[in-house]
Amino acid sequence: EPGEFDRHRVLYTQRVPNGLFRVASAETGEDGVFGFPRLEAGEYLLLATAPGFAAASYNGGNRLDSYQGIEVSDGERTRVEFELPRVVPIRFRVTDAEHGQPVRGVRFESGVKVHRRFVPMPGAPAREVETGVYEIDVAARANGVVDTAEVRIQHPQFADTKLSFGGQPKGHEFEIALGQGGRVEGVVHGATDAVVMVERYIDGMLLAATPVDASGRFALGPFAHDENLVVHAYDPWFRRVLAVVPVRPQNGKTVTVAIGTTSAPSLSGRLLREGHAASGATVSLYGGGLRLVTSAGEDGRFRVDGIEPGIYRFSLTCVGPYAMQIERIVEIGDGPVVLEYEGRYPVRGVLV
């Protein structure tokens, strides 16, 4: 709080580049000052907690819906100043979407986004004030209304639900209906040792993963209702992207996908640099309500399955000594479309 100091505020850092892990912790003094000596050079995420305040990450603007890393250089002292926001209570009435009954045993997790990943923030657990009604403390702005926040709602019998909100007065009550969610199952043709992963499209968050069985089949879920997801199939060493498939599960239903089939619509190709495979190229496909971004594997190959026939905008971006950026219109029919590029320029595009 401006003009106030609290020596109970605990601050700690998490190093960012190769994942998040706790590095150090410190407690502020009577003047609110803290310090971390002998940190290695790099980028850090600074989190702070204190009784009666909302947990916060330093982001240069004191907003909880954004993130800004702190760059620490060798031999230099880095100084930051920020304020912890007060908290206000907000309520969630949670019911079963199918039967309308209150749901007990719900877990709430508030957090921030770091590099497109949801990072939970420490804070007081949710309080069940009556059957199926939960109260949590969230950050408040100076005028007492709720600051922008993101909450993940979890229960073992239902699909996870995420809610973003802000601007409500304290004590505001949200109504949340938890659904059974949808499932994803299918088969990876010609690959009995593949690994299948499901990510959320909007932020790339990994939701589930499994190896296929001896027949190439897999089953995953449940996943949130009507949310855009992407199914990735990799070889067991994650060096080759076998295919990506966009899916959108619905409550109580199962989405079935076939990866690697030669009879359904698909887009695949390979990128070469002077006759050698070029890995890591970014491949984008837009059209018909689809926005899909993936990358080529170490063998330079990419493949998109499960798409509807139609007209799409295809782009390929590759950086490095053989940098290239290619955009073209691709028509997907009832069968596969194969594209191949070499060096800086496309050498052929074959419609099969």
Side-chain angles (χ1 to χ4, degrees):
E1 282 286 288
E4 295 183 11
F5 301 103
D6 185 344
R7 63 179 306 155
H8 298 294
R9 303 177 190 179
V10 178
L11 301 105
Y12 59 93
T13 61
Q14 291 179 305
R15 197 172 182 179
V16 171
N18 297 313
L20 298 172
F21 57 92
R22 183 166 172 169
V23 174
S25 62
E27 186 172 322
T28 57
E30 293 182 356
D31 56 358
V33 174
F34 63 94
F36 296 104
R38 298 182 297 278
L39 287 179
E40 294 181 7
E43 185 183 14
Y44 291 83
L45 168 65
L46 182 65
L47 304 179
T49 64
F53 294 86
S57 66
Y58 174 78
N59 48 44
N62 290 323
R63 292 184 59 82
L64 301 185
D65 60 341
S66 61
Y67 160 76
Q68 176 180 318
I70 301 173
E71 194 67 34
V72 176
S73 303
D74 280 328
E76 296 184 7
R77 176 174 294 182
T78 302
R79 180 178 177 85
V80 297
E81 294 185 7
F82 66 109
E83 299 172 2
L84 292 184
R86 289 287 185 180
V87 294
V88 295
I90 199 163
R91 290 190 173 190
F92 298 84
R93 184 176 297 274
V94 184
T95 59
D96 180 341
E98 184 176 358
H99 304 100
Q101 298 298 314
V103 179
R104 305 201 65 178
V106 177
R107 181 171 177 263
F108 291 81
E109 210 172 41
S110 59
V112 295
K113 286 183 180 178
V114 178
H115 296 323
R116 300 181 66 193
R117 294 294 191 270
F118 178 87
V119 178
M121 298 287 286
R127 305 175 293 274
E128 188 170 8
V129 295
E130 58 182 90
T131 302
V133 180
Y134 303 83
E135 189 174 78
I136 64 173
D137 293 327
V138 296
R141 300 173 187 167
N143 59 2
V145 302
V146 174
D147 199 357
T148 303
E150 185 167 314
V151 173
R152 182 190 295 169
I153 304 165
Q154 299 172 309
H155 191 282
Q157 297 180 5
F158 299 93
D160 289 0
T161 298
K162 185 184 72 173
L163 178 67
S164 298
F165 55 88
Q168 292 80 12
K170 64 180 182 179
H172 180 82
E173 184 174 287
F174 289 96
E175 294 188 1
I176 306 295
L178 297 182
Q180 298 297 326
R183 297 181 179 272
V184 178
E185 65 178 31
V187 59
V188 181
H189 292 278
T192 58
D193 56 355
V195 176
V196 177
M197 309 176 95
V198 177
E199 296 181 354
R200 192 160 53 202
Y201 173 79
I202 191 170
D203 57 8
M205 180 178 291
L206 176 63
L207 302 178
T210 183
V212 299
D213 63 19
S215 62
R217 296 188 175 278
F218 65 90
L220 291 167
F223 301 106
H225 169 71
D226 203 34
E227 189 167 50
N228 290 318
L229 308 178
V230 180
V231 179
H232 293 260
Y234 298 91
D235 72 351
W237 298 278
F238 296 93
R239 293 180 301 192
R240 182 179 169 213
V241 183
L242 303 179
V244 296
V245 184
V247 295
R248 195 166 184 171
Q250 306 294 311
N251 275 337
K253 297 183 179 180
T254 299
V255 178
T256 302
V257 299
I259 297 174
T261 179
T262 58
S263 58
S266 67
L267 177 67
S268 62
R270 190 183 189 194
L271 176 64
L272 301 174
R273 291 175 175 173
E274 293 188 344
H276 299 284
S279 62
T282 300
V283 179
S284 305
L285 192 65
Y286 304 94
L290 174 70
R291 294 174 57 87
L292 185 65
V293 179
T294 184
S295 59
E298 287 191 3
D299 58 357
R301 297 185 183 277
F302 61 89
R303 182 182 178 99
V304 181
D305 278 315
I307 51 180
E308 297 292 330
I311 305 296
Y312 295 86
R313 181 165 62 88
F314 167 82
S315 69
L316 187 151
T317 305
C318 186
V319 298
Y322 299 95
M324 68 167 71
Q325 183 169 1
I326 298 167
E327 290 194 8
R328 61 172 295 181
I329 302 299
V330 177
E331 182 175 0
I332 307 294
D334 294 330
V337 172
V338 180
L339 305 172
E340 187 167 330
Y341 299 93
E342 183 166 0
R344 293 178 179 272
Y345 305 102
V347 296
R348 65 179 181 271
V350 182
L351 177 62
V352 180

